[in-house]
Amino acid sequence: MKKKICILLSGILLILLVVVGYVYFNQATKSIMYEDFRIEGSTATYNYNTRTGMVDLKIVYKGGGLKKLFLTSDDVIGNGFDFIVDVGNSIAIYDGKRNLKCRGYEIDYGGSTQKVRISYTDRYARIKEGKLTVKVIDSNSKKVKAEVPVKLKFDKEYKKFDRVTGPEGERTGAVYISKSGIRVLTDQSVAMEPEYNKTSTIYLKKSKPSIVVITDPSESMKNTKNERITKARVFDVNSNAGEYVYALELEEWNQVVQAGIGRYIFKK
């Protein structure tokens, strides 16, 4: 009799776990209403090797007319930049224990719909697969006004270039790239060299045009026939340890065959 009861209880427990798991994973990403805005998050991705991730928001204004939840730099000062500024509302990403370094930018706006992409980093790789929370924060009071839960899954695709050559010959280090960013590791002696540490660009060689990643937001370059310019959205750096993490969207990451930083070339 006791054995039958144990089997029955085990079966009930298993059913409960399945139901809880189903509810958790299907409710992790959902739309919410904040004031007159309906906000819906995509599934967030995170790549352990580059320590970077991305998530999209679709925001629909239901109040009639045109109104944005998040203002861009171009909206405020007309400089053509698409990144979200700390005016009215700002964005944060929470992993359950801490806010991550992140930056949002507008990828589309039309009618009553705004689409925002958020790049983020976690250099310490403390993120656990499951879910994240995107927070809408009042820029004046700094209070959280809305929370959007999103599913999180790990992106396991990446490339690694760990044969490093420079003026003095071979060195220790590696460049990891994925669709959500770049992570650079060097030995401490290389990291502290002025020619390396002060560089503001990373060259990603592929079939033309190659990609030039600007890591310093104050730098400005123009596209050429052989080079396409893009900027890191957010970064996390420990230069003393020779670790540099840059989050940005790299659609052509899989075509890259070589990386260059200052006087140093990274190959497979």
Side-chain angles (χ1 to χ4, degrees):
M1 184 66 178
K2 289 183 179 180
K3 186 175 181 180
K4 290 183 177 179
I5 292 174
C6 288
I7 293 173
L8 179 62
L9 290 175
S10 297
I12 294 173
L13 180 60
L14 179 61
I15 292 172
L16 287 173
L17 288 173
V18 170
V19 171
V20 170
Y22 176 83
V23 171
Y24 173 82
F25 284 106
N26 283 276
Q27 289 188 350
T29 298
K30 62 180 182 180
S31 63
I32 67 158
M33 287 298 299
Y34 166 61
E35 296 182 345
D36 290 325
F37 295 96
R38 180 169 57 81
I39 312 171
E40 181 179 351
S42 69
T43 296
T45 60
Y46 176 73
N47 192 293
Y48 173 85
N49 293 282
T50 56
R51 308 291 203 263
T52 57
M54 293 187 300
V55 62
D56 291 352
L57 295 180
K58 180 182 178 181
I59 306 153
V60 181
Y61 181 56
K62 296 292 188 178
L66 302 177
K67 186 177 180 180
K68 286 185 178 182
L69 178 61
F70 298 110
L71 296 178
T72 67
S73 180
D74 187 49
D75 294 327
V76 176
I77 60 175
N79 60 4
F81 292 159
D82 59 359
F83 57 84
I84 304 302
V85 293
D86 193 13
V87 175
N89 296 298
S90 59
I91 296 174
I93 294 185
Y94 184 65
D95 72 349
K97 293 184 178 180
R98 62 192 68 81
N99 287 331
L100 306 177
K101 295 191 71 171
C102 71
R103 185 170 221 180
Y105 48 103
E106 186 178 85
I107 56 176
D108 190 32
Y109 178 67
S112 59
T113 301
Q114 181 182 33
K115 294 182 180 179
V116 171
R117 179 160 293 152
I118 307 167
S119 290
Y120 60 91
T121 68
D122 178 28
R123 183 164 54 86
Y124 300 100
R126 296 169 296 195
I127 290 179
K128 304 298 181 183
E129 193 164 17
K131 68 176 182 178
L132 295 174
T133 301
V134 180
K135 297 179 179 180
V136 180
I137 299 175
D138 184 277
S139 299
N140 295 319
S141 67
K142 304 303 179 184
K143 292 182 179 179
V144 177
K145 296 298 184 180
E147 296 186 343
V148 186
V150 296
K151 294 179 184 178
L152 170 67
K153 68 177 184 179
F154 285 175
D155 169 26
K156 298 180 180 179
E157 294 187 310
Y158 70 98
K159 277 192 171 184
K160 179 182 178 181
F161 304 97
D162 56 359
R163 288 177 51 220
V164 189
T165 57
E168 299 84 12
E170 292 191 0
R171 307 300 293 263
T172 302
V175 169
Y176 297 83
I177 64 171
S178 71
K179 67 180 180 182
S180 62
I182 303 169
R183 180 174 172 234
V184 181
L185 299 177
T186 69
D187 64 44
Q188 211 164 11
S189 61
V190 171
M192 296 306 293
E193 289 185 23
E195 293 85 354
Y196 182 93
N197 200 28
K198 292 182 180 179
T199 187
S200 59
T201 56
I202 300 175
Y203 290 86
L204 302 178
K205 184 178 180 181
K206 66 177 192 66
S207 58
K208 294 180 181 180
S210 289
I211 304 169
V212 180
V213 179
I214 301 177
T215 61
D216 183 349
S218 65
E219 293 285 335
S220 180
M221 297 176 66
K222 293 183 178 180
N223 290 327
T224 68
K225 182 178 180 181
N226 297 323
E227 295 176 343
R228 182 173 62 79
I229 311 302
T230 187
K231 286 190 176 185
R233 297 293 182 173
V234 62
F235 60 90
D236 196 1
V237 173
N238 183 353
S239 57
N240 290 330
E243 184 175 16
Y244 306 75
V245 177
Y246 305 100
L248 71 156
E249 184 180 2
L250 284 173
E251 293 183 354
E252 301 165 294
W253 70 272
N254 203 29
Q255 299 176 31
V256 175
V257 296
Q258 176 181 302
I261 303 175
R263 303 181 301 167
Y264 300 90
I265 303 298
F266 296 74
K267 299 180 179 180
K268 280 193 169 185

